[in-house]
Amino acid sequence: AVTRWCHSQTLATKSKYVDTMLSTPMKEKEAYTITFPDITPEIWDSMMKFLDSPIAARKMNARDALNMATYYDKYEFVEGSTLCDQLLVEYFESASDMEKDHSIDVNLVIDAVVIAHEANLMEAQEQSLKYVLIKIDSRNIPYGRTMFTEDHMKKLVPFISQENLAAFDLLKPVGWEIYQPDFPKTFVSHVSQIYGESLLHQF
Protein backbone atom coordinates (compact mmCIF):
# COMPACT_ATOMS: atom_id res chain seq x y z
CA ALA A 1 0.00 0.00 0.00
CA VAL A 2 1.10 3.55 -0.74
CA THR A 3 0.24 6.44 1.59
CA ARG A 4 -0.51 9.96 0.41
CA TRP A 5 -0.69 12.66 3.08
CA CYS A 6 -3.33 15.33 2.55
CA HIS A 7 -4.74 18.07 4.76
CA SER A 8 -7.99 16.54 5.97
CA GLN A 9 -10.12 19.68 5.80
CA THR A 10 -8.81 20.60 2.38
CA LEU A 11 -9.60 17.13 1.07
CA ALA A 12 -13.02 17.24 2.71
CA THR A 13 -13.90 20.41 0.80
CA LYS A 14 -13.19 18.57 -2.45
CA SER A 15 -15.03 15.34 -1.68
CA LYS A 16 -18.43 14.84 -0.04
CA TYR A 17 -17.39 11.24 0.58
CA VAL A 18 -14.30 12.33 2.54
CA ASP A 19 -16.27 15.00 4.39
CA THR A 20 -18.79 12.38 5.53
CA MET A 21 -16.08 9.95 6.59
CA LEU A 22 -14.37 12.62 8.70
CA SER A 23 -17.51 14.07 10.25
CA THR A 24 -19.09 10.85 11.51
CA PRO A 25 -17.92 8.59 14.36
CA MET A 26 -16.01 6.06 12.29
CA LYS A 27 -12.56 4.56 12.60
CA GLU A 28 -11.41 6.69 9.65
CA LYS A 29 -12.10 9.83 11.70
CA GLU A 30 -10.12 8.56 14.68
CA ALA A 31 -7.12 7.54 12.59
CA TYR A 32 -7.52 10.31 10.02
CA THR A 33 -6.78 7.65 7.45
CA ILE A 34 -9.06 6.97 4.48
CA THR A 35 -8.40 4.12 2.11
CA PHE A 36 -9.22 4.17 -1.59
CA PRO A 37 -8.36 0.56 -2.48
CA ASP A 38 -9.41 0.78 -6.12
CA ILE A 39 -7.36 3.90 -6.95
CA THR A 40 -3.72 3.47 -7.89
CA PRO A 41 -1.20 6.02 -6.57
CA GLU A 42 -0.64 7.29 -10.12
CA ILE A 43 -4.36 7.88 -10.70
CA TRP A 44 -4.73 9.54 -7.29
CA ASP A 45 -1.86 11.90 -7.97
CA SER A 46 -3.41 12.87 -11.30
CA MET A 47 -6.84 13.37 -9.72
CA MET A 48 -5.39 15.76 -7.15
CA LYS A 49 -3.20 17.53 -9.70
CA PHE A 50 -6.15 18.39 -11.93
CA LEU A 51 -8.16 19.61 -8.93
CA ASP A 52 -5.35 21.68 -7.43
CA SER A 53 -3.83 23.27 -10.53
CA PRO A 54 -5.84 25.27 -13.08
CA ILE A 55 -2.83 25.05 -15.40
CA ALA A 56 -2.82 21.24 -15.19
CA ALA A 57 -6.59 21.15 -15.65
CA ARG A 58 -6.25 23.08 -18.93
CA LYS A 59 -3.86 20.37 -20.16
CA MET A 60 -6.22 17.54 -19.25
CA ASN A 61 -7.25 15.43 -22.26
CA ALA A 62 -10.16 13.11 -22.98
CA ARG A 63 -8.27 9.96 -22.03
CA ASP A 64 -7.31 11.57 -18.70
CA ALA A 65 -10.98 12.29 -18.09
CA LEU A 66 -11.97 8.71 -18.85
CA ASN A 67 -9.28 7.35 -16.53
CA MET A 68 -10.51 9.42 -13.58
CA ALA A 69 -14.22 10.11 -14.08
CA THR A 70 -15.42 6.92 -12.39
CA TYR A 71 -13.36 7.64 -9.27
CA TYR A 72 -14.35 11.28 -9.12
CA ASP A 73 -17.97 10.17 -9.23
CA LYS A 74 -17.66 7.25 -6.80
CA TYR A 75 -15.92 9.32 -4.15
CA GLU A 76 -17.96 12.45 -4.82
CA PHE A 77 -15.30 14.83 -6.04
CA VAL A 78 -17.91 17.07 -7.64
CA GLU A 79 -15.46 19.53 -9.17
CA GLY A 80 -13.53 16.66 -10.76
CA SER A 81 -16.70 15.15 -12.20
CA THR A 82 -17.70 18.51 -13.65
CA LEU A 83 -14.26 18.92 -15.18
CA CYS A 84 -14.47 15.49 -16.85
CA ASP A 85 -17.99 16.17 -18.07
CA GLN A 86 -17.03 19.48 -19.67
CA LEU A 87 -13.88 18.09 -21.24
CA LEU A 88 -15.69 15.18 -22.88
CA VAL A 89 -18.39 17.50 -24.20
CA GLU A 90 -15.67 19.63 -25.78
CA TYR A 91 -14.12 16.50 -27.28
CA PHE A 92 -17.33 15.58 -29.09
CA GLU A 93 -17.99 19.18 -30.12
CA SER A 94 -14.61 19.10 -31.91
CA ALA A 95 -15.14 15.61 -33.37
CA SER A 96 -15.90 16.87 -36.88
CA ASP A 97 -12.54 18.68 -36.96
CA MET A 98 -10.75 15.56 -35.75
CA GLU A 99 -12.42 13.53 -38.48
CA LYS A 100 -10.96 15.88 -41.09
CA ASP A 101 -7.40 15.17 -40.00
CA HIS A 102 -8.17 11.53 -39.11
CA SER A 103 -7.17 11.98 -35.48
CA ILE A 104 -10.37 10.77 -33.84
CA ASP A 105 -9.99 7.62 -31.72
CA VAL A 106 -13.00 5.32 -32.21
CA ASN A 107 -12.11 3.23 -29.16
CA LEU A 108 -12.05 6.40 -27.07
CA VAL A 109 -15.46 7.36 -28.46
CA ILE A 110 -16.93 4.04 -27.33
CA ASP A 111 -15.23 4.27 -23.92
CA ALA A 112 -16.64 7.77 -23.53
CA VAL A 113 -20.22 6.56 -24.06
CA VAL A 114 -19.76 3.80 -21.49
CA ILE A 115 -17.94 5.83 -18.84
CA ALA A 116 -20.15 8.90 -19.23
CA HIS A 117 -23.07 6.69 -18.20
CA GLU A 118 -21.19 4.82 -15.47
CA ALA A 119 -19.81 8.04 -13.96
CA ASN A 120 -23.06 10.02 -14.28
CA LEU A 121 -21.61 12.67 -16.60
CA MET A 122 -24.94 13.93 -17.85
CA GLU A 123 -23.86 16.33 -20.61
CA ALA A 124 -21.20 13.93 -21.88
CA GLN A 125 -23.81 11.16 -21.97
CA GLU A 126 -25.97 13.25 -24.27
CA GLN A 127 -23.16 14.45 -26.55
CA SER A 128 -21.37 11.10 -26.87
CA LEU A 129 -24.52 9.14 -27.63
CA LYS A 130 -25.70 11.79 -30.08
CA TYR A 131 -22.40 11.51 -31.96
CA VAL A 132 -22.55 7.70 -32.06
CA LEU A 133 -26.14 7.64 -33.31
CA ILE A 134 -25.32 10.12 -36.07
CA LYS A 135 -22.40 7.93 -37.15
CA ILE A 136 -24.54 4.76 -37.11
CA ASP A 137 -26.96 6.53 -39.44
CA SER A 138 -24.20 7.88 -41.69
CA ARG A 139 -23.06 6.32 -44.97
CA ASN A 140 -19.76 8.21 -44.86
CA ILE A 141 -16.46 6.36 -44.97
CA PRO A 142 -14.43 6.03 -42.79
CA TYR A 143 -16.43 7.95 -40.17
CA GLY A 144 -19.87 6.46 -40.54
CA ARG A 145 -21.45 3.14 -39.68
CA THR A 146 -18.41 1.26 -40.98
CA MET A 147 -16.27 2.64 -38.13
CA PHE A 148 -17.86 0.32 -35.57
CA THR A 149 -16.64 -3.22 -34.87
CA GLU A 150 -18.65 -6.03 -33.32
CA ASP A 151 -16.96 -5.34 -29.98
CA HIS A 152 -17.90 -1.65 -30.24
CA MET A 153 -21.54 -2.53 -30.83
CA LYS A 154 -21.59 -4.93 -27.87
CA LYS A 155 -20.49 -2.08 -25.63
CA LEU A 156 -22.99 0.38 -27.14
CA VAL A 157 -26.11 -1.80 -27.03
CA PRO A 158 -26.94 -1.13 -23.33
CA PHE A 159 -27.11 2.60 -24.03
CA ILE A 160 -29.04 2.55 -27.30
CA SER A 161 -32.79 2.09 -27.25
CA GLN A 162 -34.79 0.46 -30.03
CA GLU A 163 -36.44 3.84 -30.54
CA ASN A 164 -33.06 5.45 -31.21
CA LEU A 165 -32.53 3.15 -34.17
CA ALA A 166 -36.11 2.77 -35.41
CA ALA A 167 -35.86 5.62 -37.93
CA PHE A 168 -32.48 4.63 -39.33
CA ASP A 169 -32.63 3.58 -42.97
CA LEU A 170 -30.10 0.81 -42.28
CA LEU A 171 -32.59 -1.11 -40.16
CA LYS A 172 -35.82 -0.53 -42.05
CA PRO A 173 -35.58 -3.53 -44.37
CA VAL A 174 -34.17 -5.83 -41.70
CA GLY A 175 -36.40 -5.34 -38.68
CA TRP A 176 -33.64 -6.05 -36.17
CA GLU A 177 -34.10 -6.01 -32.43
CA ILE A 178 -31.02 -4.51 -30.83
CA TYR A 179 -31.40 -6.57 -27.67
CA GLN A 180 -31.04 -9.85 -29.52
CA PRO A 181 -27.71 -11.49 -28.57
CA ASP A 182 -26.54 -11.62 -32.18
CA PHE A 183 -27.33 -7.97 -32.95
CA PRO A 184 -23.72 -6.67 -32.84
CA LYS A 185 -22.46 -9.40 -35.17
CA THR A 186 -25.46 -9.06 -37.49
CA PHE A 187 -25.09 -5.29 -37.62
CA VAL A 188 -21.42 -5.38 -38.59
CA SER A 189 -21.94 -8.19 -41.11
CA HIS A 190 -24.84 -6.36 -42.73
CA VAL A 191 -22.88 -3.12 -42.96
CA SER A 192 -19.91 -4.95 -44.50
CA GLN A 193 -22.20 -6.63 -47.02
CA ILE A 194 -23.88 -3.37 -48.02
CA TYR A 195 -20.59 -1.57 -48.57
CA GLY A 196 -19.03 -4.56 -50.30
CA GLU A 197 -21.90 -4.59 -52.79
CA SER A 198 -21.74 -0.83 -53.31
CA LEU A 199 -18.05 -1.07 -54.13
CA LEU A 200 -18.69 -3.82 -56.67
CA HIS A 201 -21.32 -1.67 -58.38
CA GLN A 202 -18.72 1.01 -58.96
CA PHE A 203 -16.79 -1.27 -61.34
Side-chain angles (χ1 to χ4, degrees):
V2 177
T3 301
R4 293 289 189 268
W5 295 101
C6 302
H7 190 280
S8 60
Q9 294 306 313
T10 300
L11 193 59
T13 62
K14 298 176 182 176
S15 163
K16 293 181 180 179
Y17 172 87
V18 172
D19 186 40
T20 299
M21 295 289 276
L22 295 178
S23 61
T24 54
M26 303 175 70
K27 63 179 182 180
E28 287 82 5
K29 181 180 179 182
E30 298 302 320
Y32 279 88
T33 300
I34 299 176
T35 302
F36 302 90
D38 51 346
I39 303 179
T40 66
E42 293 76 19
I43 291 292
W44 176 264
D45 290 344
S46 294
M47 289 171 64
M48 295 303 103
K49 177 182 70 175
F50 291 127
L51 289 178
D52 292 337
S53 170
I55 294 175
R58 286 196 292 271
K59 296 180 181 179
M60 188 178 186
N61 60 41
R63 183 54 69 183
D64 291 328
L66 296 180
N67 287 339
M68 286 171 277
T70 302
Y71 303 118
Y72 278 141
D73 176 64
K74 180 177 180 179
Y75 296 108
E76 300 179 277
F77 288 89
V78 176
E79 184 181 344
S81 291
T82 300
L83 181 62
C84 292
D85 199 12
Q86 293 173 343
L87 196 145
L88 290 175
V89 167
E90 291 171 4
Y91 179 85
F92 285 100
E93 288 177 343
S94 63
S96 59
D97 292 329
M98 289 187 286
E99 288 178 10
K100 292 175 183 176
D101 61 17
H102 300 282
S103 64
I104 197 161
D105 183 341
V106 181
N107 291 324
L108 189 150
V109 167
I110 304 303
D111 290 344
V113 173
V114 175
I115 292 176
H117 284 78
E118 291 179 346
N120 300 300
L121 307 178
M122 306 309 294
E123 291 187 34
Q125 284 182 30
E126 181 180 351
Q127 289 295 324
S128 62
L129 195 54
K130 178 182 177 182
Y131 175 81
V132 164
L133 291 173
I134 289 173
K135 295 298 119 178
I136 289 177
D137 196 35
S138 171
R139 298 173 182 270
N140 293 338
I141 298 176
Y143 298 115
R145 57 187 61 151
T146 59
M147 67 195 279
F148 302 111
T149 66
E150 183 178 340
D151 185 58
H152 292 154
M153 295 308 296
K154 286 179 181 178
K155 292 179 179 179
L156 289 174
V157 163
F159 311 108
I160 302 176
S161 70
Q162 190 70 37
E163 291 72 23
N164 288 143
L165 295 180
F168 290 4
D169 62 83
L170 178 66
L171 302 184
K172 286 179 181 177
V174 192
W176 295 335
E177 295 290 335
I178 68 171
Y179 300 117
Q180 292 177 351
D182 62 345
F183 172 79
K185 181 177 181 179
T186 305
F187 175 90
V188 173
S189 296
H190 188 67
V191 168
S192 297
Q193 180 182 354
I194 289 174
Y195 282 85
E197 291 174 353
S198 66
L199 287 173
L200 286 174
H201 291 159
Q202 293 179 17
F203 293 96

